[in-house]
Amino acid sequence: MIRVVKIYFMPVLVMLIFFLGEICSCTQILSGSLDGSKINHTWAMILSVIAYSLLIKDLFNGLITKKIFKILAILFLLLILYSSSSFFYGSNSKYTSYLLVYIAETIPAAYIGMRFARFNSLDRLNDLLPYFVFFTSVLIGTIGLRYAAIGERVSHDDSGLNYQSVSYYMAFGFSYACYYAFFREKKSFNICNAILRGLMILMMFYCAIICLMSGGRGAFVYIVGLSFYLVVYYLKRSKRHLMWATLVVVAVAVTIAFLMKHFNVMESAGMLRVMDRITDDDERMGLYRKAFDVFMDSPIFGKGVGSIWWTVGFYSHNMVLDILAEMGLIGFFFFIPILLRTLYRLYQNSYFEKTFVLLFIVMSGALIRNIFSSYWVSATKLFFICSFVYCLPKLNQFKYKYIKKNK
């Protein structure tokens, strides 16, 4: 029993980071709590206590490498810069709440990513993934469908969910199920794996329909882009049986069309919102313009980390604009190359380790979400994966080139 706990300890922490929002919402639904912030704070505290305990343990054991030290130095420098902004601007409740998110979720997620890079347990994620996907997607999807089915955009209810959270949770559920069903390394056949794979295919349809009906534009872009890539990937792998592969793709498309018609997806308030041009959204475009004006007022250094809460009044729902407004071109040319390089390394490693496909999918979804919504300081998935990739042994980072060269 103790051995099993040790083997799955780090993979469970990783799943907690991947599904943190979903787990908080599911806990709130099951408990019937009206205050979602208490549930979120509880789970964030659990994550932070575990992560900081591991950090202290590794400090005493001398396991903090130069790479880890560099990342920790950057994280705590951002913490100092962010926390000092209030001295120049004043008090703001949202600013304080996201400062707590950074301390309690983002930094712990980044450190768990660094620590996870030392363990060769990526395959354990495959064992845990379907159970997290099924439980969270069914529970949250039921709440989302309850509103979408009667033609209303998903709004706040006793579960604390809204149309954005439901749509993004379903989009991530779709991507996880997609990975497990089609990209995961196929082991020797057994009935349990076959049932799980079939279940994940059903979950793909379920999550996609509810996501479309919920109304998140970024989530819509995510599942459409991933679906297109899945079709290209499937047809490319089935060159010898192209006719059968094409028939499968057509059958899936017909099934999706039937489900969309059955659930009146195109007439749902969420889908109508998705179909509206973003330029017609006065509130969102107003935030974009304000953030861009702040950036133009101080294009080199920005107005300070966390200043968006005073200069714009709220984050702009676009990670790039928030970074430009807060840290100017200096911050932009520091963080954006890190994100792009992380994606490239994940793509390289995916050739010899399929679990890197999962990490690539997770990061792509997190990037899209933070381009359409969310605040970059709370992007726990991005901080986790960037830290993980940076701390990977060089053998993993360049193994793809070695294999390709020696074929």
Side-chain angles (χ1 to χ4, degrees):
M1 180 66 182
I2 296 176
R3 177 177 171 79
V4 173
V5 172
K6 287 183 178 180
I7 289 175
Y8 282 97
F9 177 69
M10 287 303 296
V12 166
L13 284 183
V14 174
M15 287 289 100
L16 177 60
I17 292 169
F18 285 180
F19 290 88
L20 187 60
E22 290 91 329
I23 290 172
C24 291
S25 293
C26 288
T27 304
Q28 191 176 353
I29 294 169
L30 293 174
S31 65
S33 173
L34 297 177
D35 188 357
S37 61
K38 288 184 179 179
I39 303 293
N40 294 340
H41 293 162
T42 300
W43 279 105
M45 286 303 299
I46 292 172
L47 176 65
S48 60
V49 167
I50 294 173
Y52 288 120
S53 298
L54 292 173
L55 173 58
I56 294 171
K57 177 184 175 183
D58 290 345
L59 278 171
F60 278 107
N61 292 333
L63 298 176
I64 304 299
T65 64
K66 289 182 178 180
K67 283 187 173 183
I68 293 177
F69 180 80
K70 287 179 182 179
I71 299 176
L72 289 175
I74 293 172
L75 291 172
F76 283 103
L77 176 61
L78 286 173
L79 173 61
I80 293 170
L81 293 174
Y82 189 92
S83 59
S84 63
S85 291
S86 60
F87 293 108
F88 298 95
Y89 293 97
S91 60
N92 186 299
S93 60
K94 282 289 185 179
Y95 167 85
T96 304
S97 67
Y98 276 94
L99 172 63
L100 295 175
V101 167
Y102 186 74
I103 297 171
E105 294 181 17
T106 307
I107 294 178
Y111 187 70
I112 290 172
M114 302 177 224
R115 207 170 190 274
F116 191 62
R118 300 209 316 257
F119 295 87
N120 185 22
S121 54
L122 282 169
D123 57 326
R124 305 297 179 190
L125 297 180
N126 293 322
D127 300 332
L128 298 172
L129 185 66
Y131 304 103
F132 279 82
V133 173
F134 181 79
F135 178 75
T136 58
S137 296
V138 168
L139 200 56
I140 295 173
T142 302
I143 298 294
L145 188 61
R146 187 173 71 190
Y147 282 92
I150 59 177
E152 298 179 2
R153 189 199 304 176
V154 179
S155 57
H156 285 286
D157 74 330
D158 56 354
S159 71
L161 296 172
N162 56 46
Y163 77 93
Q164 281 190 335
S165 59
V166 170
S167 59
Y168 282 111
Y169 293 161
M170 291 296 98
F172 276 115
F174 172 83
S175 66
Y176 299 145
C178 171
Y179 160 76
Y180 193 91
F182 295 99
F183 295 100
R184 178 177 177 259
E185 293 283 4
K186 292 179 174 61
K187 300 180 180 180
S188 56
F189 178 82
N190 65 64
I191 189 65
C192 290
N193 285 335
I195 292 173
L196 281 176
R197 183 163 280 110
L199 186 63
M200 289 301 101
I201 292 174
L202 293 176
M203 289 305 301
M204 286 175 59
F205 289 109
Y206 180 77
C207 291
I209 294 299
I210 298 176
C211 177
L212 293 176
M213 298 174 73
S214 299
R217 294 190 185 97
F220 173 79
V221 171
Y222 183 38
I223 64 169
V224 169
L226 185 57
S227 299
F228 178 77
Y229 175 76
L230 178 61
V231 170
V232 173
Y233 175 83
Y234 181 69
L235 292 176
K236 186 177 179 180
R237 285 191 61 186
S238 308
K239 286 182 179 178
R240 296 179 181 178
H241 309 283
L242 188 58
M243 185 182 73
W244 288 108
T246 304
L247 289 175
V248 170
V249 170
V250 171
V252 171
V254 169
T255 303
I256 293 175
F258 170 78
L259 291 173
M260 290 179 68
K261 182 175 177 60
H262 178 73
F263 288 104
N264 295 320
V265 172
M266 298 308 296
E267 284 117 23
S268 64
M271 196 62 186
L272 292 175
R273 180 182 184 275
V274 169
M275 292 295 102
D276 286 342
R277 293 179 301 175
I278 195 168
T279 53
D280 294 332
D281 190 334
D282 294 334
E283 181 182 358
R284 186 64 57 87
M285 292 306 298
L287 291 172
Y288 287 175
R289 284 191 291 268
K290 286 181 181 178
F292 186 75
D293 289 341
V294 171
F295 161 65
M296 292 303 294
D297 191 45
S298 180
I300 304 300
F301 298 102
K303 292 291 187 177
V305 181
S307 61
I308 202 81
W309 301 106
W310 293 277
T311 55
V312 175
F314 200 70
Y315 62 87
S316 68
H317 289 261
N318 185 293
M319 178 180 66
V320 175
L321 287 174
D322 285 339
I323 290 175
L324 285 171
E326 293 188 345
M327 294 181 288
L329 292 174
I330 289 179
F332 177 83
F333 286 113
F334 178 80
F335 282 103
I336 300 303
I338 291 176
L339 296 175
L340 295 177
R341 186 169 178 79
T342 300
L343 279 172
Y344 176 67
R345 286 183 173 177
L346 290 175
Y347 177 76
Q348 280 186 315
N349 285 313
S350 66
Y351 277 85
F352 67 91
E353 173 63 66
K354 287 299 182 184
T355 311
F356 281 94
V357 175
L358 172 63
L359 299 180
F360 183 86
I361 287 173
V362 172
M363 184 167 183
S364 300
L367 276 174
I368 291 174
R369 177 169 188 173
N370 279 270
I371 288 173
F372 283 87
S373 184
S374 296
Y375 183 46
W376 70 276
V377 164
S378 62
T380 54
K381 293 183 179 72
L382 292 183
F383 279 85
F384 166 83
I385 296 178
C386 288
S387 300
F388 169 80
V389 170
Y390 183 74
C391 290
L392 278 178
K394 289 186 177 180
L395 176 65
N396 283 352
Q397 292 176 3
F398 301 104
K399 192 172 180 181
Y400 160 67
K401 293 181 180 179
Y402 175 82
I403 292 174
K404 189 175 181 180
K405 182 179 178 181
N406 290 274
K407 275 187 177 181

